[in-house]
Amino acid sequence: MESYATALLYATPFFIGLVLIEILYGRFVKDQKHNLMDTVSSLSSGLTNVVKDSLGLVLILISYPFLLEHLALIEIKATWLVWVVAFIALDFAGYWNHRLSHHINFFWNQHVIHHSSEEFNLACALRQPISNLLGYYALLLIPAALVGVPHKVIAVLAPIHLFAQFWYHTQHIGKMGFLEYVIVTPSQHRVHHAINKEYIDKNLGQIFCVWDRIFGTFQEELDEVPPQYGVLKPANTWNPIIINFQHLWRLIQDAWRTKNYRDKFRIWFMPTGWRPEDVKEKYPISIIKNVYNFRKYQPEASAALKAYSLFQLVVTTFLMLFMFYSYAAIGFDGLLLFGAFIFVGIYGYTTLMDRKIYAVWIEVIRGVGGLTLIYFTNDWFGFNSDFSIGSYLVALYFLITIFGGVYFTYFEKSFATPDLAS
């Protein structure tokens, strides 16, 4: 995990830098595809994902080395050919994992965060899950295990395969000629993120589009059908932690409420969106009917709140990067506590962005908690070793957090009720 944290230390600024370039380009060509609060929410979601993954918070049901040991029919060396085979195997597994996430109720919960933004840009690519707590992905790599692809090759290629899916989350690149027949392009992925009936559950490929063409899930972007983004059951929150578990909570509620015992069991494995008939009638859920005329989630926010939200994102990113930089020195117990502060922080300021009245309590409690930790340890997880006044700056941040929670809750009361903007 330490090597993964080191990779994230460099990868995170790189991806955030590309998001900033896209924002600046949008301003330059007067075709901005970013909404500030949505982008803050997207980047905050990315932070929760990398912190969770760096801590290894997942229950591995079966590992690839185990499958390799018991299923390999041949043993092959790490030549250039095995790297090609491994990458194709990863992409094939990625297609089916993606398809599973779109078609099965339980698995949709771990993917809905990625589709929850009502914008489409590089920032929404970073909306990655923290709800993927069961490690079953190795089962989809059985073909690689059968031909003896070494697990170290898979370990090296897996993050590269993931990172290579970032670039095509943009509206600034049109169709790409012959490449449309080879790889997943921005045009194809705009279709995938769209909620138009013509586009739903299409283009599930991750790097190569051949799987969609073979298995009947390919759809070209149509000029007469402009993509509309989001999910048909809108998240209606900027809080990425809530979004990660919204669908699961609905499933739990429906399973509890239905009188049909068969439905209590099968709801988890039915197609995405399926609900028991008795529950659907008694507890209806609002679904977008007209994708060209719905109200996007955009609670009213002052310029001060927008600046404060951006400030929180920047400081949280910096703290996370320090966590990765000092990963070994902090130790596992310390990393868990540090990670908890980041998670509670993101929950707090995004709840404040939602204009929820209880946000003040989260912000005050985490602020006091941070100050208390600094008081008793005279440090912030070893920050003073690298920067003599580091803990004082972190203490100042927690004081600002307490002040911000109080100010935006009690001194901007006029914004307390969210208004949705079309």
Side-chain angles (χ1 to χ4, degrees):
M1 284 301 169
E2 184 180 352
S3 59
Y4 182 62
T6 302
L8 291 172
L9 180 63
Y10 297 99
T12 301
F14 175 74
F15 288 127
I16 292 177
L18 290 177
V19 171
L20 291 175
I21 290 173
E22 184 183 47
I23 292 172
L24 292 174
Y25 177 78
R27 288 180 62 89
F28 178 75
V29 299
K30 296 180 173 56
D31 186 20
Q32 188 59 265
K33 302 301 183 182
H34 285 261
N35 170 305
L36 178 74
M37 300 300 253
D38 178 83
T39 297
V40 168
S41 177
S42 294
L43 296 178
S44 299
S45 176
L47 299 186
T48 63
N49 170 260
V50 296
V51 168
K52 176 255 182 186
D53 284 354
S54 71
L55 295 175
L57 301 179
V58 61
L59 176 62
I60 301 295
L61 298 180
I62 191 167
S63 69
Y64 181 74
F66 176 85
L67 292 177
L68 186 64
E69 180 182 351
H70 292 85
L71 297 181
L73 300 176
I74 58 175
E75 183 180 353
I76 53 178
K77 303 297 182 182
T79 63
W80 67 268
L81 181 59
V82 75
W83 291 90
V84 173
V85 171
F87 195 84
I88 293 173
L90 274 169
D91 203 55
F92 182 72
Y95 170 84
W96 285 106
N97 184 57
H98 201 176
R99 187 162 178 169
L100 189 69
S101 296
H102 273 259
H103 288 275
I104 303 296
N105 246 341
F106 177 75
F107 294 107
W108 174 240
N109 184 74
Q110 68 183 15
H111 189 57
V112 65
I113 180 69
H114 186 63
H115 285 262
S116 59
S117 175
E118 292 169 340
E119 312 297 334
F120 184 75
N121 47 49
L122 289 178
C124 90
L126 301 177
R127 289 193 178 219
Q128 296 296 326
I130 58 172
S131 53
N132 52 339
L133 300 174
L134 295 177
Y136 62 87
Y137 189 78
L139 290 171
L140 300 172
L141 289 171
I142 287 177
L146 288 172
V147 297
V149 174
H151 68 88
K152 289 184 178 179
V153 173
I154 295 294
V156 170
L157 287 180
I160 296 173
H161 184 265
L162 176 63
F163 295 160
Q165 299 170 47
F166 175 78
W167 73 279
Y168 51 59
H169 291 81
T170 183
Q171 297 184 61
H172 291 301
I173 299 176
K175 292 188 177 181
M176 301 181 68
F178 77 93
L179 289 177
E180 297 288 337
Y181 296 93
V182 182
I183 62 172
V184 175
T185 65
S187 174
Q188 292 175 26
H189 209 62
R190 287 193 289 270
V191 166
H192 176 69
H193 273 255
I195 55 176
N196 312 61
K197 61 180 175 58
E198 295 90 346
Y199 296 154
I200 287 285
D201 297 335
K202 298 296 185 181
N203 297 356
L204 299 161
Q206 297 185 318
I207 301 300
F208 301 116
C209 63
V210 62
W211 313 121
D212 286 299
R213 295 179 184 277
I214 291 174
F215 298 113
T217 52
F218 182 80
Q219 173 60 56
E220 183 181 7
E221 184 179 22
L222 305 172
D223 292 336
E224 65 273 19
V225 185
Q228 306 299 308
Y229 305 108
V231 286
L232 291 175
K233 297 175 185 174
N236 288 334
T237 177
W238 297 131
N239 189 325
I241 298 172
I242 290 178
I243 299 172
N244 264 278
F245 298 99
Q246 270 183 337
H247 184 67
L248 179 63
W249 177 238
R250 291 193 193 108
L251 292 178
I252 292 172
Q253 287 180 307
D254 284 355
W256 175 261
R257 288 166 172 168
T258 183
K259 305 300 182 185
N260 188 314
Y261 283 95
R262 181 167 174 262
D263 287 347
K264 288 178 183 294
F265 173 78
R266 67 173 180 153
I267 185 175
W268 308 95
F269 309 102
M270 292 297 284
T272 305
W274 182 90
R275 304 180 70 204
E277 288 299 325
D278 57 340
V279 173
K280 188 162 56 174
E281 292 176 7
K282 192 173 182 180
Y283 303 97
I285 295 176
S286 178
I287 297 177
I288 294 174
K289 301 295 185 184
N290 184 348
V291 300
Y292 298 105
N293 185 26
F294 70 97
R295 295 159 72 85
K296 289 185 178 182
Y297 182 72
Q298 193 172 320
E300 208 174 335
S302 65
L305 179 59
K306 291 179 180 179
Y308 178 78
S309 302
L310 188 58
F311 163 78
Q312 284 285 354
L313 172 66
V314 170
V315 174
T316 303
T317 302
F318 176 81
L319 291 174
M320 185 197 72
L321 291 175
F322 171 73
M323 173 182 161
F324 293 157
Y325 176 76
S326 305
Y327 193 91
I330 293 174
F332 185 70
D333 291 342
L335 289 169
L336 287 177
L337 181 59
F338 202 137
F341 267 102
I342 290 178
F343 268 76
V344 174
I346 290 172
Y347 195 101
Y349 71 74
T350 55
T351 301
L352 199 63
M353 289 162 57
D354 282 335
R355 310 307 300 162
K356 300 296 185 182
I357 193 69
Y358 65 85
V360 63
W361 297 106
I362 301 172
E363 295 296 76
V364 169
I365 290 172
R366 79 176 176 103
V368 171
L371 291 171
T372 301
L373 182 62
I374 291 171
Y375 176 78
F376 281 106
T377 63
N378 293 313
D379 203 348
W380 178 259
F381 297 95
F383 197 8
N384 287 346
S385 300
D386 299 293
F387 193 52
S388 60
I389 62 170
S391 60
Y392 292 101
L393 291 177
V394 178
L396 177 61
Y397 162 69
F398 283 122
L399 288 172
I400 293 173
T401 292
I402 294 170
F403 173 80
V406 172
Y407 175 78
F408 290 110
T409 301
Y410 296 112
F411 291 85
E412 286 196 353
K413 292 181 181 178
S414 60
F415 296 113
T417 303
D419 291 327
L420 300 185
S422 58

